[in-house]
Amino acid sequence: MEKIKIAVFVSGSGTNLQALIDASKSGIIKHGELSLVISSNPEAYAINRAELAGIPVCVVAKKSCKDQAEFECKLIKELSRHDIGLIVLAGFMSILSADFTSKYPGRIINVHPSLIPSFCGKGYYGLKVHEDALKYGVKVTGATVHFVNEIPDGGQIIAQKAIKIRECDTPETLQHRVMENAEWVILPKAAEKVAKELLRETDKTNTPEKEKS
Ligand code: GAR
């Protein structure tokens, strides 16, 4: 079966990458193939996870680039070298420019640890999201998978899952519950949904007019 080649962008521990690897093994992801992992951090544990799963991995460190344009140029080179059709941002801690996102319309998705439009946008990542959710006193939080455009966390929503906040929650307990019960569940399903849809679109464009009718 034809599959969309997926690149996963990571920067940290890579538990969402692991969820994608596990979902590929279990058949939840059928229309996509994990073909490349790009880490913006040479120390990321996610690199070990990719290597263990036998996925080609490369480090594109932002620090070693003179500016955003050089960083993105390196990313694009790797993506075209591996013929990537779908990019999944899974704990990727760099914001991508409009220049980059406009090159892959409808082909970049991101997982965010809150119910967008709450606690999202520039500066909202990792534990800070959960700290602010608790400070604000919201009773429900969760995770969102969305398309990525030029606005940080501003693209169309693909999937969301809500998680109830407990009185005893700390940012750390809440982060773990959101990951385990929301992010690791909705991210693989959303990746499969988008990969399937992209394949369908490719089929439509490749089918001669006569056969379409
Ligand atoms: C995840 O909670 C992810 O949603 C979040 O960082 C964590 C990465 O964990 N991403 C953001 O906050 C992006 N705005 P992981 O490396 O174990 O997948």
Side-chain angles (χ1 to χ4, degrees), residues 202-213:
T202 321
D203 276 356
K204 264 192 233 157
T205 10
N206 290 343
T207 310
E209 278 311 310
K210 247 203 271 142
E211 284 178 36
K212 278 187 198 163
S213 53

Side-chain angles (χ1 to χ4, degrees), residues 12-16 90-91 93 111-113 124-126 179 183:
S13 63
T15 61
N16 278 290
M93 296 306 168
V111 61
H112 183 78
Y124 270 115
Y125 55 85
M179 280 178 149
E183 296 184 45

Side-chain angles (χ1 to χ4, degrees), residues 10-17 46 49 90-93 110-113 124-126 129-130 153 175 179 183-184:
V10 296
S11 303
S13 63
T15 61
N16 278 290
L17 167 65
R49 297 182 191 270
F92 186 62
M93 296 306 168
N110 176 51
V111 61
H112 183 78
Y124 270 115
Y125 55 85
V129 180
H130 306 291
D153 297 324
Q175 179 183 47
M179 280 178 149
E183 296 184 45
W184 304 343

Side-chain angles (χ1 to χ4, degrees), residues 60-199:
V60 180
K62 204 170 168 182
K63 278 188 199 149
S64 70
C65 301
K66 72 172 188 302
D67 53 20
Q68 182 77 12
E70 186 184 320
F71 175 60
E72 293 182 350
C73 186
K74 286 187 180 174
L75 294 175
I76 292 166
K77 224 185 232 171
E78 289 300 330
L79 294 172
S80 46
R81 204 156 69 86
H82 290 264
D83 195 22
I84 297 301
L86 173 62
I87 300 163
V88 179
L89 310 185
F92 186 62
M93 296 306 168
S94 290
I95 288 179
L96 296 165
S97 74
D99 217 32
F100 183 95
T101 56
S102 64
K103 288 191 169 69
Y104 304 94
R107 289 181 183 268
I108 314 176
I109 66 172
N110 176 51
V111 61
H112 183 78
S114 76
L115 294 175
I116 290 175
S118 291
F119 311 111
C120 64
K122 201 159 182 267
Y124 270 115
Y125 55 85
L127 215 51
K128 161 123 178 90
V129 180
H130 306 291
E131 281 165 1
D132 276 22
L134 290 178
K135 262 191 224 151
Y136 214 98
V138 292
K139 305 299 172 216
V140 176
T141 184
T144 303
V145 179
H146 62 93
F147 283 107
V148 174
N149 63 10
E150 70 287 357
I151 303 157
D153 297 324
Q156 200 196 2
I157 290 172
I158 303 161
Q160 284 189 312
K161 187 155 187 253
I163 298 292
K164 276 190 193 152
I165 286 176
R166 297 176 185 158
E167 274 192 15
C168 59
D169 265 327
T170 63
E172 289 79 7
T173 61
L174 184 58
Q175 179 183 47
H176 188 79
R177 222 167 48 260
V178 167
M179 280 178 149
E180 188 173 16
N181 298 312
E183 296 184 45
W184 304 343
V185 178
I186 62 173
L187 180 62
K189 286 186 186 163
E192 166 60 14
K193 184 170 184 256
V194 175
K196 192 174 175 184
E197 190 51 42
L198 286 172
L199 271 182

